[in-house]
Amino acid sequence: MLELAGIIILGILAQWVAWKFKIPAILPLILIGLLVGPIAAEFLSEDGAKWIEPIWNGEKGLFPGEGLYYFVSLAISIVLFEGGLTLKRSEIKNVGPVITKLITLGSAVTFFGAGIVAHYIFDLGWELSFLFAGLIIVTGPTVITPILRNIPLKKDISTVLKWEGILIDPIGALVAVLVFEFISVGGGGGFTKTALIEFGKILLFGTTFGFTFAHALAYAINKKLIPHYLLNVVSLSTVLLVFVESEVFAHESGLLAVVVMGMVLGNGKLNNLKELLYFKESLSVLLISILFILLSANIDIEDLLLLYTWKTAALFAVVVFVIRPLAVFLSTRNSKLKFNEKLFISWVGPRGIVAAGIASLFGSKLLKQGVEGAEYITPLVFMIVLGTVLLNATTARFFAKLVGVFLKSSDAILFVGASNPARLIAGYLRDKGKRVILIDANKNFIQQALDDDLEAIRADVYDDELTDNIELNDVGYLIAMTGSDAVNNHALKRFTKDFGEHGAYKLASSMQLLESSNEDKEWFFTPNDDYINLSEAYRENPEIIDVDIENENEYTKILDILSKEEKSIPLFIEKEKGIYLISEFEKTDKKKEKLKLSYLGKNIGDAYKSSSKV
């Protein structure tokens, strides 16, 4: 009982440490597992026993007999199901040819390159070499996101790395599963007729069970045949049922079945999908926390000593510094990415949770089957995982500066709210060369923004998911302009630290405009207008007009005219190639001359010039 409680406590502590220091959780989890396992047994315990002993083929330990094997199988099935839920067909179409090539051509280069290198460096059989190669194909968003979260990068680079990790996770898992099944059914004897038959059964039953149960569960959820309070646990039990049933009909087809099930559900019209994802994510965090401490603790010091050779360093160096760059540069050939951007993408390729988890599962199975060289699979993959995470976590920021992809100024603009006036203003700024992102919980507003060729994300400001989006790392301005003062206030309070490096502004309520002093209005989007005024101005004159101003007298006059002109709202000042909000510009020491003022409202022509002559 003490050991089991300790694993959970240590696992959640490791997750907190990872969050606090913005590092991948897999790093502290594996280190804790090694500490309480082989390191404790060798150096810290007087009797040579591990502090946590997950023996699974003996009579003692947390998981005696086949216990650990079963737990790992079920835990990995749930993690892979969650990965399948995030794999969307639309994303494959939208993320561009570079990412498509990375997950196809790049995966093939990694698979064959790493397989050949492992065979000749460690003298492993071809089957085991390619199993190792299949396992290290995956990168994974859970390790890339914490590394890149605090590195301001161009959107193109962040997008490539983020979506490569998401899309390649289940693909790498499938490749590893299929290679493992080929080894298992072939018995190491080559590509026999029996192996082909068993291989076909795995594909048939894995895809059939996954596809069928996914549609059945979606039908039950959409028809409200499952009460809301049972939705998550019924979904969980269905995943486990699919895994077990598929295993009964075709041994080792369960992992394929749950990935297929997740992909079908994630791409279907499923009500409560977001809620289901949150539950599965929370469950995956708990399982991963337990799983990797157990798996690391289960490694013996003899396994680690297998890596105490020059061959380990040679394999790591070739995989990281030769095969990864080769895969990236071949996949990005003829793309719009610059050489330094390709170089940075080549450098950032940390392997993740799926690789380590499946390696432990398959390694233990192959050892049990007596496959020669199987003892190398788990420690070699753990070496690649731990090494790449350590390398990227400690050097990614420095390397980004070294190759010149680190953004010195975060000047993208995040709009909270995608209403009609917000889209008009965002389009104006986009046409001025600014990167503008709109977020809103209203799917109709988001769709209209996308139709207007604006970058838009459907999101709720009360969720924390926005701060995890590495594609927003170059945001330096936050503008909250929804019709709800509560939402605007919350957006500024919650996200100013993350997205308001150069300024955070909001639409004020009518009451705030009346009560606020001039100093308070410095953080207002417009000095004298609320959401109602902005909406009415848009309805009357949905156009932003630019006027050139020569001197401070003209500047003062036009602001005075616009304040008296009904439904005309000053927005921006453009001076010396910089664009400022009116309230922002007033805080600078720039002279109010030789500038351009932009406002929403009817065209007042040269009235301000004629009035200034009077």
Side-chain angles (χ1 to χ4, degrees):
M1 181 177 71
L2 181 62
E3 287 184 331
L4 185 58
I7 290 172
I8 296 174
I9 293 169
L10 288 172
I12 301 305
L13 177 62
Q15 293 281 357
W16 181 86
V17 169
W19 167 80
K20 183 67 176 178
F21 294 98
K22 296 178 174 60
I23 59 175
I26 194 172
L27 183 58
L29 286 170
I30 291 179
L31 291 177
I32 287 174
L34 292 174
L35 176 65
V36 300
I39 294 175
E42 184 69 18
F43 304 106
L44 304 177
S45 297
E46 295 182 0
D47 57 356
K50 298 177 179 178
W51 289 349
I52 293 179
E53 180 62 272
I55 295 175
W56 60 274
N57 58 351
E59 296 301 324
K60 63 177 183 177
L62 289 172
F63 297 92
E66 299 284 322
L68 184 60
Y69 164 73
Y70 294 142
F71 174 75
V72 171
S73 299
L74 294 175
I76 291 294
S77 71
I78 295 170
V79 173
L80 287 184
F81 171 72
E82 188 208 352
L85 282 174
T86 64
L87 187 60
K88 301 292 196 312
R89 288 192 304 268
S90 59
E91 289 164 355
I92 297 176
K93 297 175 184 176
N94 294 334
V95 292
V98 169
I99 299 174
T100 303
K101 288 180 181 178
L102 271 175
I103 65 175
T104 51
L105 177 60
S107 295
V109 170
T110 303
F111 180 69
F112 289 106
I116 293 170
V117 171
H119 173 74
Y120 285 107
I121 291 182
F122 271 91
D123 299 319
L124 296 176
W126 284 112
E127 295 93 340
L128 285 179
S129 297
F130 284 116
L131 175 61
F132 164 78
L135 287 165
I136 65 166
I137 285 176
V138 299
T139 52
T142 55
V143 287
I144 286 178
T145 300
I147 290 173
L148 299 183
R149 189 172 292 148
N150 291 318
I151 306 178
L153 299 167
K154 277 179 61 178
K155 181 200 170 188
D156 289 346
I157 303 175
S158 298
T159 300
V160 167
L161 288 168
K162 173 185 175 180
W163 291 113
E164 181 200 12
I166 290 175
L167 297 174
I168 211 169
D169 233 2
I171 290 172
L174 284 175
V175 171
V177 168
L178 295 178
V179 173
F180 173 77
E181 300 312 332
F182 175 70
I183 297 173
S184 299
V185 300
F191 203 68
T192 63
K193 181 179 180 180
T194 302
L196 278 173
I197 293 173
E198 292 298 320
F199 189 75
K201 286 171 61 179
I202 291 163
L203 289 176
L204 174 64
F205 287 107
T207 54
T208 301
F209 273 95
F211 186 84
T212 303
F213 276 84
H215 282 282
L217 180 60
Y219 178 84
I221 293 174
N222 291 336
K223 294 295 183 180
K224 302 188 184 302
L225 300 178
I226 304 170
H228 187 268
Y229 77 98
L230 288 179
L231 175 64
N232 290 327
V233 290
V234 168
S235 301
L236 173 62
S237 62
T238 306
V239 173
L240 298 179
L241 175 63
V242 169
F243 176 79
V244 173
E245 286 294 323
S246 187
E247 288 280 315
V248 170
F249 282 85
H251 193 51
E252 306 302 343
S253 64
L255 293 180
L256 175 60
V258 295
V259 173
V260 170
M261 181 181 177
M263 290 168 60
V264 173
L265 283 172
N267 287 279
K269 295 180 180 179
L270 178 66
N271 298 332
N272 306 101
L273 177 61
K274 197 167 187 178
E275 183 177 343
L276 187 61
L277 272 169
Y278 282 153
F279 171 70
K280 288 295 185 291
E281 183 181 10
S282 299
L283 185 60
S284 292
V285 167
L286 178 61
L287 289 174
I288 287 167
S289 302
I290 298 171
L291 187 64
F292 282 97
I293 291 179
L294 278 175
L295 295 178
S296 303
N298 196 47
I299 296 176
D300 295 323
I301 198 69
E302 292 80 9
D303 297 328
L304 297 178
L305 291 176
L306 290 173
L307 304 179
Y308 192 67
T309 170
W310 66 269
K311 295 180 179 181
T312 304
L315 179 62
F316 180 83
V318 173
V319 168
V320 173
F321 302 120
V322 178
I323 294 175
R324 170 67 177 175
L326 181 62
V328 170
F329 275 85
L330 285 175
S331 301
T332 57
R333 187 182 177 188
N334 298 325
S335 71
K336 295 181 180 180
L337 291 172
K338 298 177 182 177
F339 177 81
N340 62 337
E341 295 170 345
K342 297 177 184 179
L343 204 59
F344 181 77
I345 294 171
S346 300
W347 185 261
V348 179
R351 272 55 178 185
I353 283 166
V354 171
I358 298 181
S360 297
L361 179 61
F362 290 171
S364 62
K365 286 185 178 183
L366 293 175
L367 275 173
K368 192 175 180 181
Q369 294 174 14
V371 176
E372 184 180 356
E375 67 274 11
Y376 282 95
I377 291 297
T378 301
L380 280 180
V381 173
F382 267 70
M383 176 272 295
I384 295 292
V385 169
L386 200 55
T388 53
V389 170
L390 273 171
L391 177 68
N392 292 150
T394 55
T395 65
R397 189 178 181 90
F398 168 77
F399 194 77
K401 293 180 179 179
L402 182 67
V403 299
V405 299
F406 190 93
L407 291 180
K408 296 179 181 179
S409 177
S410 301
D411 57 358
I413 304 165
L414 180 66
F415 277 77
V416 179
S419 61
N420 290 334
R423 296 197 304 274
L424 175 68
I425 295 169
Y428 172 85
L429 292 172
R430 176 203 59 196
D431 295 340
K432 292 286 186 179
K434 295 290 186 180
R435 184 191 173 207
V436 184
I437 308 99
L438 298 102
I439 65 169
D440 204 303
N442 187 316
K443 65 179 181 180
N444 293 326
F445 282 172
I446 293 299
Q447 187 57 54
Q448 289 171 25
L450 294 173
D451 292 341
D452 293 339
D453 200 28
L454 292 167
E455 191 175 342
I457 302 170
R458 187 182 178 190
D460 191 327
V461 295
Y462 292 98
D463 293 338
D464 290 335
E465 60 187 37
L466 283 172
T467 55
D468 293 331
N469 191 331
I470 60 175
E471 294 176 37
L472 300 179
N473 281 357
D474 62 339
V475 171
Y477 289 92
L478 175 66
I479 300 176
M481 50 189 313
T482 73
S484 168
D485 189 54
V487 171
N488 294 338
N489 286 331
H490 176 80
L492 259 63
K493 182 178 180 181
R494 175 66 183 82
F495 298 117
T496 294
K497 180 180 178 181
D498 297 293
F499 303 125
E501 175 185 346
H502 300 306
Y505 305 91
K506 55 160 279 188
L507 277 176
S509 66
S510 302
M511 188 62 66
Q512 286 175 320
L513 288 175
L514 292 173
E515 296 177 349
S516 298
S517 64
N518 288 331
E519 291 183 0
D520 294 330
K521 292 182 179 182
E522 290 181 354
W523 50 272
F524 287 170
F525 175 67
T526 59
N528 302 303
D529 299 282
D530 58 10
Y531 183 82
I532 296 175
N533 294 344
L534 190 68
S535 299
E536 290 180 349
Y538 172 86
R539 185 170 60 250
E540 292 290 332
N541 298 284
E543 182 182 6
I544 295 177
I545 299 170
D546 294 333
V547 293
D548 294 317
I549 295 177
E550 294 297 327
N551 53 58
E552 186 170 352
N553 190 35
E554 289 183 3
Y555 175 83
T556 304
K557 287 291 184 181
I558 191 171
L559 288 182
D560 183 59
I561 292 171
L562 291 175
S563 66
K564 296 175 181 177
E565 186 71 40
E566 188 178 1
K567 299 171 186 175
S568 291
I569 300 175
L571 298 174
F572 304 109
I573 297 293
E574 187 173 352
K575 183 179 175 65
E576 299 169 356
K577 297 183 179 180
I579 299 178
Y580 309 87
L581 288 176
I582 294 288
S583 53
E584 179 186 16
F585 183 73
E586 291 289 340
K587 291 187 288 184
T588 70
D589 57 0
K590 296 183 180 298
K591 293 182 179 180
K592 298 177 176 61
E593 60 185 28
K594 302 295 182 183
L595 54 84
K596 182 178 292 183
L597 185 145
S598 307
Y599 66 92
L600 174 66
K602 73 177 185 178
N603 195 334
I604 60 174
D606 291 334
Y608 70 97
K609 290 187 176 181
S610 60
S611 65
S612 66
K613 296 177 183 178
V614 176

